Amino acid sequence: MAAAAEVAPAGAGSEAPAPPVCVLVLGMAGSGKTTLVQRLTAHLHSQNSPPYVINLDPAVHELPFPANIDIRDTVKYKEVMKQYGLGPNGGIVTSLNLFATRFDQVMKFIEKRQNTSQYVLIDTPGQIEVFTWSASGTIITEALASTFPSVVVYVMDTSRSTSPITFMSNMLYACSILYKTKLPFILAMNKTDIIDHSFAVEWMQDFEIFQDALNQETTYVSNLTRSMSLVLDEFYSSLKVVGVSAVLGTGLDEFFVKVSEAVDEYEREYRPEYERLRKSLAKAQSKQQKEQLERLQKDMGSVAMESGKEGCLSLAAAALELGKVASFSGRRKPAHSKFLHIPNSPTPSSHPTVPPTYTLFPQGHHLTLHVHLLQGPGT
């Protein structure tokens, strides 16, 4: 059964290519994130659905999978540490910040590959807090989620979570990431080849079983853990959990079924919210531009242009043309152009009076007014 082939986003049957699904792989150091990405990549290649793989860990020495985009090709981690006098974590944060400034180019590469790649796998740094709580992590996550269906996969080391207190610590971190990213969330319990993840699923589904396990703990933290387990009960009810082994490759079919469910959740609940935020932002920008134009017209309304004895002409009249040339009759050629030049000398009596021509040129968020002076023939 080719489970990966079943995970097609909505609209795959239409003429337009379906957008790829972005899978952000997060997890504690040593949980097996990179190994899981390598296994997912191999699995998708075996299903004739090669993914687009991105590495965001600037400090990794070797990658066990081929990366289409590697942050190490753009930012030299050790050079950043040396140049800015930073430690390991500071170097990773700064490297990510530098890379995030060019992430619009990454988005263009992903868009070009949407005809050939159904999935975009993104491996993040081992220091999870560097990505989840930094500005660059937020920029990258929101950029992806605003354009493509995006899913967050939190990789948990099952073999190190057999203690109820350690398990609760992992769940609290997973909950914080869920509310930080505000994206569909999958909990991948890795290393099931060492220990089965069924005990953790029971702890999440049955409060009394977890309490019995906590009774064996005698530390003061057990009381806090007991209280927190009640708080996380709602979190458990809607959590997508899957047991996988990055070493053996087991559980991947079920993993992609959960990804399919998460994509449906994204289309149903998350995309409308992002569309609402996008429209709200566009409306705010339009309002700001309108206010800037009104201020421009108000400021320019008091400026008068004199041309000989023919009276005055308000610059605001030209501003209302919004970039059009207010051309007057006459077969005259522009003699010269000056920035905001206001003629103050009368036109020679030997030539008929020629009004100036006004042109508006947009520059950035402002409008720059150029005044082209027209002179009579023979001058």
Side-chain angles (χ1 to χ4, degrees), residues 165 168 172 210 214 219-231:
I165 296 177
M168 181 55 60
L172 289 174
F210 185 70
L214 271 177
T219 61
Y220 73 95
V221 182
S222 61
N223 293 327
L224 175 62
T225 304
R226 185 174 289 104
S227 301
M228 294 304 301
S229 62
L230 292 173
V231 176

Side-chain angles (χ1 to χ4, degrees), residues 8-310:
S14 60
E15 295 181 0
V21 179
C22 296
V23 181
L24 283 150
V25 183
L26 308 175
M28 296 288 189
S31 60
K33 297 185 301 298
T34 301
T35 308
L36 180 60
V37 172
Q38 183 271 335
R39 179 60 65 177
L40 293 174
T41 302
H43 178 79
L44 290 173
H45 274 284
S46 67
Q47 302 294 331
N48 295 322
S49 178
Y52 197 74
V53 186
I54 301 176
N55 172 49
L56 295 181
D57 189 353
V60 65
H61 291 290
E62 294 183 3
L63 285 177
F65 53 83
N68 299 92
I69 297 179
D70 193 339
I71 187 176
R72 298 177 300 171
D73 297 334
T74 305
V75 183
K76 302 302 180 183
Y77 166 68
K78 292 185 178 180
E79 291 297 325
V80 169
M81 290 177 58
K82 183 185 302 183
Q83 181 175 352
Y84 294 96
L86 301 171
N89 284 351
I92 295 176
V93 171
T94 305
S95 298
L96 271 175
N97 290 342
L98 294 172
F99 187 77
T101 60
R102 300 296 180 89
F103 202 74
D104 59 317
Q105 299 179 19
V106 177
M107 298 290 290
K108 293 179 181 178
F109 284 121
I110 297 176
E111 290 174 355
K112 293 178 180 179
R113 288 294 300 270
Q114 63 182 359
N115 293 331
T116 57
S117 297
Q118 188 178 357
Y119 296 95
V120 178
L121 304 180
I122 303 170
D123 190 21
T124 57
Q127 290 75 6
I128 184 173
E129 69 281 354
V130 169
F131 184 84
T132 55
W133 299 106
S134 67
S136 55
T138 302
I139 292 171
I140 292 172
T141 303
E142 292 184 352
L144 292 170
S146 62
T147 308
F148 308 105
S150 301
V151 179
V152 174
V153 176
Y154 180 76
V155 182
M156 187 182 82
D157 188 344
T158 310
S159 62
R160 295 184 180 179
S161 300
T162 54
S163 166
I165 296 177
T166 306
F167 171 80
M168 181 55 60
S169 300
N170 258 310
M171 292 300 101
L172 289 174
Y173 215 116
C175 184
S176 67
I177 294 174
L178 171 63
Y179 286 102
K180 182 71 167 58
T181 59
K182 300 177 182 178
L183 287 172
F185 194 85
I186 298 175
L187 177 61
M189 295 187 175
N190 193 21
K191 302 184 182 181
T192 55
D193 53 303
I194 299 177
I195 183 171
D196 191 75
H197 68 292
S198 57
F199 76 93
V201 176
E202 289 182 351
W203 284 354
M204 289 188 289
Q205 295 177 348
D206 195 323
F207 176 76
E208 293 183 355
I209 294 179
F210 185 70
Q211 294 303 311
D212 292 339
L214 271 177
N215 291 334
Q216 302 176 8
E217 300 287 340
T218 58
T219 61
Y220 73 95
V221 182
S222 61
N223 293 327
L224 175 62
T225 304
R226 185 174 289 104
S227 301
M228 294 304 301
S229 62
L230 292 173
V231 176
L232 293 180
D233 186 59
E234 182 65 24
F235 171 65
Y236 294 151
S237 63
S238 58
L239 186 63
K240 299 177 180 63
V241 183
V242 57
V244 297
S245 172
V247 175
L248 301 180
T250 56
L252 297 187
D253 289 339
E254 185 182 358
F255 174 84
F256 281 104
V257 171
K258 296 296 182 182
V259 171
S260 178
E261 295 175 359
V263 171
D264 293 339
E265 181 183 352
Y266 172 88
E267 297 291 348
R268 183 177 64 254
E269 299 180 9
Y270 290 84
R271 183 179 290 278
E273 178 65 14
Y274 275 100
E275 291 295 333
R276 185 189 66 81
L277 293 175
R278 181 181 298 177
K279 292 179 180 179
S280 177
L281 178 60
K283 184 178 180 181
Q285 290 176 343
S286 177
K287 182 179 178 181
Q288 183 181 12
Q289 292 175 356
K290 183 178 179 181
E291 291 176 352
Q292 290 177 348
L293 180 59
E294 290 176 351
R295 287 196 300 267
L296 173 67
Q297 294 175 353
K298 183 178 179 181
D299 294 340
M300 297 174 64
S302 59
V303 181
M305 293 291 294
E306 292 185 357
S307 178
K309 299 179 181 179
E310 294 294 324

